[in-house]
Amino acid sequence: ETGVTQTPRHLVMGMTNKKSLKCEQHLGHNAMYWYKQSAKKPLELMFVYNFKEQTENNSVPSRFSPECPNSSHLFLHLHTLQPEDSALYLCASSQEGYGDQPQHFGDGTRLSIL
Amino acid sequence: DAKTTQPPSMDCAEGRAANLPCNHSTISGNEYVYWYRQIHSQGPQYIIHGLKNNETNEMASLIITEDRKSSTLILPHATLRDTAVYYCIVHSGGGADGLTFGKGTHLIIQP
C-alpha cells in the first residue's frame, strides 16, 4: 500500500544522537497516529493527532516528541534514546468523523539504538 | 475497546479456504470488528470490517455470529503470500482513537 509513506525505512543511531522519523499520507485523511512495535510484542499506540491537534499521548517518554504541521505530515523527533527504544515505528492515518473508517499503515521505520 | 481472543497459530494448505476464528464476547453495540494482517517487515494491512452483517470484499469474507460474540475471517483460496499474522480488533468508530492490537494468529500457508 502506497498511501502512507514512512522515511527512513531503517535508522541506526547512538543514544546521544537526535534524529527524526517522517510520515506522509496521500489519502486526504484528517487523523494520524504513531505506533511502536517491539520484538515479540503487540503494536502499542504512542500518539494520536486529529486535525493537527494532539488528542492522545499514551504515556510516552519525553525523549519522543511528535509534530504534526498539517494533516498530511507527521514527524517523530528522537533524542537521547535508550536501547529498549529499538523497535519498528509505524505511522497510520484515517478519516475520522465518518463512523467506521479503517486506519491505513505505512511500512514503518526500523530503529536500532546502539 | 473490547478484548479479543485468537489462536496463536494455524496452518492451511495452499488453494484451500483459510478460516480464522476470533472471540469477542464483551463487544458492545457500537463496536465494529476489524481484521488486519501483517506480513513480515511490513506495516499492518487492512482487510475487512463489519458491525452485524456478514461482509465480503476482494480479499476476504467476514462472518459475524448473530450474538456478535465471535467472528470468522475467510480467505477463500489461500496462497503462499497470505502467510502473515492476522489481527482481529474490536473498535468503536467515529473518533480518532488508537487500535488495540493483540498477538494475533500466525497463519502459515503450506505448499
Side-chain angles (χ1 to χ4, degrees):
Chain A
E1 192 168 291
T2 58
V4 180
T5 304
Q6 292 188 242
T7 53
R9 289 297 312 277
H10 301 273
L11 179 62
V12 179
M13 57 187 285
M15 289 191 286
T16 58
N17 292 154
K18 290 185 180 180
K19 295 286 184 183
S20 296
L21 310 185
K22 179 182 176 182
C23 175
E24 184 174 2
Q25 58 97 359
H26 309 276
L27 301 169
H29 290 165
N30 52 30
M32 296 189 78
Y33 312 78
W34 280 117
Y35 290 84
K36 174 184 178 182
Q37 187 174 29
S38 302
K40 308 214 186 277
K41 292 174 114 177
L43 277 81
E44 302 170 71
L45 177 70
M46 299 176 73
F47 301 103
V48 180
Y49 278 82
N50 195 13
F51 289 100
K52 302 187 299 178
E53 298 297 320
Q54 187 180 132
T55 56
E56 186 163 351
N57 175 339
N58 198 23
S59 303
V60 180
S62 59
R63 57 186 184 269
F64 295 91
S65 175
E67 179 190 2
C68 189
N70 54 62
S71 292
S72 298
H73 294 86
L74 184 65
F75 295 89
L76 188 63
H77 303 300
L78 317 171
H79 64 96
T80 323
L81 294 194
Q82 304 300 309
E84 62 266 27
D85 297 323
S86 296
L88 180 66
Y89 288 85
L90 291 155
C91 172
S93 70
S94 67
Q95 185 66 9
E96 293 306 327
Y98 290 86
D100 57 336
Q101 298 304 305
Q103 293 181 21
H104 295 264
F105 287 79
D107 282 334
T109 294
R110 175 74 59 186
L111 176 65
S112 298
I113 307 300
L114 300 178
Chain B
D1 294 337
K3 187 175 177 179
T4 62
T5 303
Q6 300 177 252
S9 65
M10 293 180 64
D11 288 345
C12 179
E14 187 178 18
R16 303 295 296 269
N19 295 275
L20 292 90
C22 180
N23 285 322
H24 31 80
S25 58
T26 60
I27 192 170
S28 57
N30 66 338
E31 289 180 315
Y32 293 79
V33 180
Y34 292 81
W35 284 84
Y36 287 79
R37 73 181 182 185
Q38 187 173 22
I39 297 169
H40 184 61
S41 297
Q42 296 181 19
Q45 178 189 22
Y46 165 75
I47 301 172
I48 198 168
H49 74 284
L51 183 64
K52 292 187 287 189
N53 300 323
N54 298 336
E55 302 288 344
T56 295
N57 62 20
E58 64 279 3
M59 289 183 68
S61 294
L62 173 61
I63 308 299
I64 302 174
T65 57
E66 193 169 341
D67 64 7
R68 303 209 321 126
K69 292 184 177 182
S70 65
S71 60
T72 301
L73 178 75
I74 301 172
L75 307 178
H77 304 286
T79 71
L80 298 179
R81 287 179 295 180
D82 292 322
T83 292
V85 178
Y86 287 76
Y87 299 99
C88 168
I89 299 169
V90 170
H91 184 65
S92 56
D97 300 317
L99 299 175
T100 302
F101 284 80
K103 295 183 178 180
T105 295
H106 186 195
L107 175 67
I108 300 171
I109 306 301
Q110 306 281 2

